[in-house]
Amino acid sequence: MLPYHLQSLGRDRITPWDISQRFCWNRHISSYMRWPGNYSWAPYPYFSSQHCPVNWRPPCLFLPNRNQFQHWNWRPDNFAHTSLFHLSSYVMDSEGDKPSSKRQKTQGVIKRHWEYLCHHNKENMKILGDKHVDQKYKDEKEKFEFSVMSYNILSQDLLEDNSYLYRHCRKPVLIWGFRFPNILREIKHMDADILCLQEVQEDHYRKEIKPNLESLGYHCEYKMRTGRKPDGCAICFKCSKFTLLSANPVEFYRRDIPLLDRDNVGLVLLLQPKFHCTVSPICVANTHLLYNPRRGDIKLTQLAMLLAEISSVAHQKDGTVCPIIICGDFNSVPGSPLYSFIKEGKLNYEGLAIGKVSGQEQSPRGQRILSIPIWPPSLGISQNCVYEIPQVTRVEKAEEDDVTQKHLEKTEVLVAAKKLSSNLHHHFSLSSVYSHYLPNTGIPEVTTCHSKNAVTVDYIFYSTEKEAINTQQGTEVALVGGLKLLGRLSLLTEEDLWTVNGLPNENNSSDHLPLLAKFRLEL
């Protein structure tokens, strides 16, 4: 029988308290803690009396002063091996569930399942366990397969600068000391061979993210944004699967071009699969384009700069183009002109309003029409999104700079004298890993969700040869020496995410979902 004051508190919590929960009766902890039986989720590892003797007393995990909470730096991994704690996590079934069953919930955590795009691939996985395996399946097994994860992990500085986006969240969930263990847990659980991370804060990268990922066998490359924002993009890959051939950072800021006054960046790596010397290298790019929905001219120019760098890196000495994967937060929705340009390789932007480029702008603002050309010739990038002139190296003589400037000025005069085209092109054949809509209902999938909206802005694009007829995303025919999409981790709908209070929440510590796909490199 509980003392009277504890019984009174118990009524407030609706569900009866067990012995092990009594230590959390004070107001500081009850405001942070929710127990199973009252709620279907718990923000922290919870105790259960079935694991504890009656006279058991818990360690002093919580500090009495609420202001000290932000310095509490617990780690789920420290508790993972004790029976006193339960940790919720993603469940990715190894067997293929139907796409229509992707929204299954357990204790407030929505399960995300693997969706297989190659039907025979799932069957082959079962057959490969048979000792009487066919030679055909042995050949399939020998092909190089790898996984790619793209994840905007939400910079802590940006979170605090835009706190109005997270009014739906309880404050403890937004603390970096709580968020990072969750993010690291997701990365460990998904175990991707290549990680493309956005909004990676420099001090967190240097002190925590890079050391932890290196301990997991990753090599990390990082490019911080120019200007005052302390976050950037990182690409990390498993040293056991790839060798780094080159790392190429891309800065979108140009001091001498007024249009390019934003500090977004990109990063392009050329990776060689290990133990497959005859296999083509893989070009992996990662970026985070400008957010401002009303500045589609800047977004298109940043994208063109990234594509030009990818083209320079992906072209091999023998004239071929190696397979390409482009990840990132593009701040553009499916079906928008920018998205269509990536997928279709062409865009006629004549008469297109700047605010319509990304598909995000709903207000009448940003309706100024895109200029022709969008960016000045002095940028040195053509309408085909390739470099027109050799890129200026960091160490050059002043005389060479003068010659280059005169050449650019002459080029501008020549371009102005002739009819300018409003057509953008790129020569890559790119497909999106995700279809962006549930196949049976047409309900949009989303990759980000906060207090203002829930949309798709994160993508994984990959190079492939597309069939002439319309096919489901990921079923296009792969080029010889190209990429074949084998499967992807299912996305969720806005309704799904609000059943767990949107993003971030107690189990998902970014306002974006991680994207995960598995590829095969055709030999």
Side-chain angles (χ1 to χ4, degrees):
M1 192 69 179
L2 292 174
Y4 176 79
H5 67 282
L6 289 182
Q7 289 179 351
S8 175
L9 288 171
R11 290 190 212 104
D12 294 338
R13 307 300 292 177
I14 301 176
T15 186
W17 288 16
D18 63 21
I19 297 299
S20 64
Q21 294 169 354
R22 295 181 187 178
F23 78 99
C24 283
W25 65 269
N26 69 76
R27 66 180 180 88
H28 299 294
I29 302 307
S30 63
S31 65
Y32 295 140
M33 204 76 167
R34 306 192 180 191
W35 302 106
N38 184 17
Y39 292 87
S40 60
W41 48 264
Y44 301 106
Y46 59 76
F47 298 91
S48 174
S49 59
Q50 64 182 333
H51 301 297
C52 312
V54 174
N55 61 351
W56 178 83
R57 291 295 181 270
C60 183
L61 295 176
F62 306 99
L63 301 177
N65 187 339
R66 183 190 298 259
N67 294 331
Q68 295 174 335
F69 183 81
Q70 59 183 326
H71 302 297
W72 180 39
N73 192 26
W74 67 277
R75 293 289 186 272
D77 290 343
N78 297 339
F79 305 138
H81 299 293
T82 174
S83 61
L84 301 179
F85 295 88
H86 167 78
L87 292 175
S88 299
S89 64
Y90 280 129
V91 177
M92 297 189 295
D93 291 350
S94 58
E95 299 301 329
D97 293 276
K98 295 180 180 180
S100 61
S101 66
K102 66 172 68 174
R103 302 182 304 280
Q104 300 182 22
K105 306 169 182 66
T106 304
Q107 296 186 344
V109 179
I110 301 178
K111 295 183 180 181
R112 297 175 63 187
H113 300 283
W114 276 104
E115 297 175 345
Y116 292 100
L117 280 301
C118 300
H119 181 69
H120 71 277
N121 180 66
K122 181 173 61 175
E123 295 177 350
N124 289 355
M125 290 178 67
K126 296 178 182 179
I127 296 175
L128 286 171
D130 193 328
K131 61 183 179 180
H132 302 295
V133 67
D134 188 270
Q135 180 63 40
K136 173 183 176 181
Y137 299 123
K138 285 184 180 180
D139 294 339
E140 293 287 334
K141 186 178 179 181
E142 290 172 357
K143 294 184 179 180
F144 185 75
E145 296 182 358
F146 63 99
S147 55
V148 177
M149 175 179 175
S150 182
Y151 194 9
N152 183 326
I153 64 174
L154 180 56
S155 161
Q156 189 67 22
D157 277 10
L158 291 178
L159 182 156
E160 294 171 2
D161 290 344
N162 299 277
S163 57
Y164 68 94
L165 295 176
Y166 312 105
R167 292 171 181 167
H168 63 286
C169 302
R170 298 186 309 110
K171 291 183 178 179
V173 173
L174 302 178
I175 297 171
W176 177 250
F178 177 84
R179 294 178 54 230
F180 178 63
N182 270 353
I183 292 170
L184 187 61
R185 173 181 55 82
E186 286 182 302
I187 291 174
K188 286 182 179 179
H189 185 69
M190 296 186 181
D191 194 32
D193 299 312
I194 300 174
L195 306 176
C196 291
L197 307 178
Q198 305 89 41
E199 290 194 25
V200 181
Q201 195 164 304
E202 192 276 335
D203 57 338
H204 293 155
Y205 171 78
R206 178 169 34 86
K207 297 177 182 178
E208 297 177 272
I209 297 174
K210 182 180 180 182
N212 276 279
L213 292 182
E214 287 180 341
S215 70
L216 296 175
Y218 289 96
H219 173 87
C220 303
E221 293 290 333
Y222 177 71
K223 174 57 182 173
M224 189 170 74
R225 279 207 279 177
T226 54
R228 297 182 178 181
K229 296 295 184 182
D231 68 285
C233 295
I235 301 180
C236 312
F237 60 89
K238 287 187 177 178
C239 300
S240 60
K241 298 205 73 168
F242 297 97
T243 300
L244 178 64
L245 298 182
S246 68
N248 310 272
V250 185
E251 295 182 356
F252 299 141
Y253 175 81
R254 291 289 187 274
R255 183 178 56 184
D256 56 337
I257 301 178
L259 174 68
L260 296 174
D261 61 349
R262 309 305 167 94
D263 296 306
N264 304 83
V265 296
L267 184 60
V268 183
L269 301 190
L270 190 62
L271 303 178
Q272 178 65 53
K274 282 191 173 181
F275 314 115
H276 293 78
C277 299
T278 59
V279 175
S280 168
I282 301 171
C283 180
V284 181
N286 184 24
T287 192
H288 188 179
L289 300 185
L290 177 71
Y291 165 73
N292 191 335
R294 300 187 297 276
R295 294 308 304 268
D297 52 345
I298 299 178
K299 296 186 186 191
L300 277 174
T301 306
Q302 291 179 346
L303 176 61
M305 296 171 72
L306 180 70
L307 292 173
E309 185 65 28
I310 292 172
S311 179
S312 176
V313 173
H315 273 90
Q316 303 298 292
K317 294 180 180 180
D318 60 0
T320 62
V321 178
C322 68
I324 297 167
I325 293 175
I326 308 176
C327 299
D329 181 343
F330 290 81
N331 276 313
S332 302
V333 301
S336 65
L338 187 144
Y339 173 87
S340 298
F341 173 53
I342 295 175
K343 284 199 60 186
E344 297 173 10
K346 59 184 179 180
L347 173 67
N348 186 346
Y349 60 87
E350 183 175 7
L352 178 62
I354 292 178
K356 300 297 184 182
V357 169
S358 65
Q360 299 169 292
E361 182 59 44
Q362 303 299 324
S363 70
R365 296 178 295 173
Q367 300 309 303
R368 180 166 58 88
I369 302 302
L370 286 168
S371 61
I372 303 175
I374 300 174
W375 57 82
S378 59
L379 183 59
I381 294 177
S382 73
Q383 297 284 89
N384 292 325
C385 300
V386 295
Y387 292 128
E388 287 187 317
I389 59 175
Q391 290 301 285
V392 179
T393 58
R394 296 182 182 275
V395 182
E396 275 191 340
K397 296 180 181 180
E399 293 81 3
E400 293 176 349
D401 289 336
D402 292 339
V403 171
T404 301
Q405 183 61 35
K406 291 178 181 178
H407 173 75
L408 292 176
E409 291 173 357
K410 182 179 180 180
T411 302
E412 290 184 20
V413 173
L414 293 175
V415 171
K418 63 181 181 180
K419 173 67 176 178
L420 296 173
S421 172
S422 60
N423 292 298
L424 293 180
H425 297 275
H426 68 76
H427 59 274
F428 305 124
S429 180
L430 298 173
S431 182
S432 174
V433 162
Y434 288 92
S435 57
H436 314 307
Y437 299 91
L438 298 185
N440 296 330
T441 63
I443 298 175
E445 298 172 327
V446 300
T447 65
T448 181
C449 178
H450 49 64
S451 295
K452 290 295 183 180
N453 61 11
V455 293
T456 286
V457 295
D458 306 278
Y459 303 95
I460 301 176
F461 296 103
Y462 66 103
S463 56
T464 186
E465 182 182 14
K466 302 172 187 177
E467 291 181 334
I469 59 173
N470 292 327
T471 57
Q472 183 183 0
Q473 292 279 15
T475 61
E476 295 85 355
V477 177
L479 290 164
V480 176
L483 295 173
K484 182 69 176 179
L485 177 62
L486 301 181
R488 63 197 177 197
L489 186 63
S490 63
L491 285 174
L492 306 172
T493 67
E494 180 178 3
E495 180 184 0
D496 292 332
L497 290 174
W498 281 117
T499 64
V500 289
N501 199 38
L503 297 173
N505 56 51
E506 282 72 13
N507 298 294
N508 312 91
S509 285
S510 173
D511 57 350
H512 293 249
L513 290 172
L515 280 57
L516 182 64
K518 187 171 183 178
F519 297 95
R520 174 185 296 145
L521 182 59
E522 300 290 345
L523 304 179

